[in-house]
Amino acid sequence: MTILRNDTGTARERASGEPVGGLELEVAIGRNVRELRIQYGLTVAELATRVGISKAMLSKIENAQTSCSLGTLGALADGLDVPVTSLFRGADRERPSSFVPAGGGTAIVRDGSQAGHEYLLLGSLRGEHRRLECLHVTLTAKSETYPLFQHPGTEFIYMLEGVMDYAHGRSVHRLTAGDSLQMDGEGAHGPADLIELPIRFLSVIAFPDTVAPHR
């Protein structure tokens, strides 16, 4: 089953031995063909006729669902009146990732940090990708007071262990292992009561484009 989160992405199946890098090349070709076609005001059918391939094949190329032969690449370049190399634009661009092994992560101090409250930053990317903050939070001790947060963007919590009541605005949610909670970060939120310790959960915050994660 193929799942697409929205219309801007691509999804396809690959053989177990097929390198993922090949898909990145196909994605670059498909993106460039689509952008050039739209730039020239051509429909899928019009470009397909000009190139000499079926409309269905061109649609598959634009959605990175098939590999282009050298002949088809040449025909596409001729039909769009561009060099073949322009269809590969962006294929060699670095796509950053950050791997954190089990037990890794960088300990950080956040508003409300206290004894028994540990926040581990699970990696960090550069530039525009810093809009995402991923934390592994461990709570091992009850307290008279608990941290309360407010921030721009959306936060997602996934419970790994333990039981806690988590407040968001006027609502309180009982979270156990396997539960998740997604919320507007502008609403005041934080643990309301620690029911069963230790408590471990993942917190993923997606900040707006104009706001950088806090440290």
Side-chain angles (χ1 to χ4, degrees), residues 3-199:
I3 298 177
L4 282 178
R5 288 177 297 175
N6 52 55
D7 294 333
T8 63
T10 62
R12 54 161 286 188
E13 294 182 348
R14 70 179 181 92
S16 59
E18 180 184 358
V20 176
L23 176 58
E24 290 208 354
L25 180 60
E26 292 164 14
V27 168
I29 292 172
R31 180 181 60 248
N32 291 325
V33 168
R34 181 187 295 109
E35 289 179 353
L36 288 166
R37 174 178 61 78
I38 293 174
Q39 178 181 327
Y40 293 145
L42 298 171
T43 65
V44 172
E46 289 170 341
L47 180 58
T49 299
R50 180 183 294 191
V51 173
I53 59 177
S54 69
K55 179 181 175 182
M57 175 59 71
L58 180 55
S59 180
K60 286 185 177 181
I61 291 172
E62 289 193 357
N63 288 288
Q65 294 176 342
T66 188
S67 299
C68 279
S69 67
L70 291 177
T72 301
L73 282 172
L76 283 168
D78 289 341
L80 293 167
D81 194 26
V82 295
V84 172
T85 53
S86 68
L87 300 182
F88 301 126
R89 180 172 50 86
D92 58 349
R93 178 183 172 187
E94 179 188 2
R95 303 294 177 178
S97 61
S98 176
F99 170 72
V100 179
T106 303
I108 63 173
V109 175
R110 297 191 61 185
D111 295 339
S113 292
Q114 54 186 301
H117 289 206
E118 179 185 76
Y119 301 88
L120 289 178
L121 179 64
L122 300 180
S124 180
L125 299 180
R126 301 186 299 274
E128 60 179 320
H129 300 285
R130 291 189 64 189
R131 295 195 300 264
L132 195 68
E133 181 176 89
C134 305
L135 300 172
H136 179 206
V137 183
T138 303
L139 310 179
T140 57
K142 289 196 173 188
S143 174
E144 293 297 323
T145 60
Y146 295 112
L148 195 62
F149 303 103
Q150 277 184 292
H151 55 76
T154 303
E155 182 167 356
F156 174 80
I157 286 177
Y158 183 81
M159 285 288 287
L160 299 171
E161 181 182 8
V163 181
M164 70 173 172
D165 287 342
Y166 199 90
H168 177 249
R170 298 178 181 178
S171 301
V172 177
H173 305 273
R174 174 66 57 90
L175 301 180
T176 63
D179 290 342
S180 62
L181 176 65
Q182 186 170 331
M183 57 195 156
D184 181 346
E186 296 283 3
H189 57 278
D193 193 11
L194 309 185
I195 308 300
E196 184 179 313
L197 297 169
I199 292 168

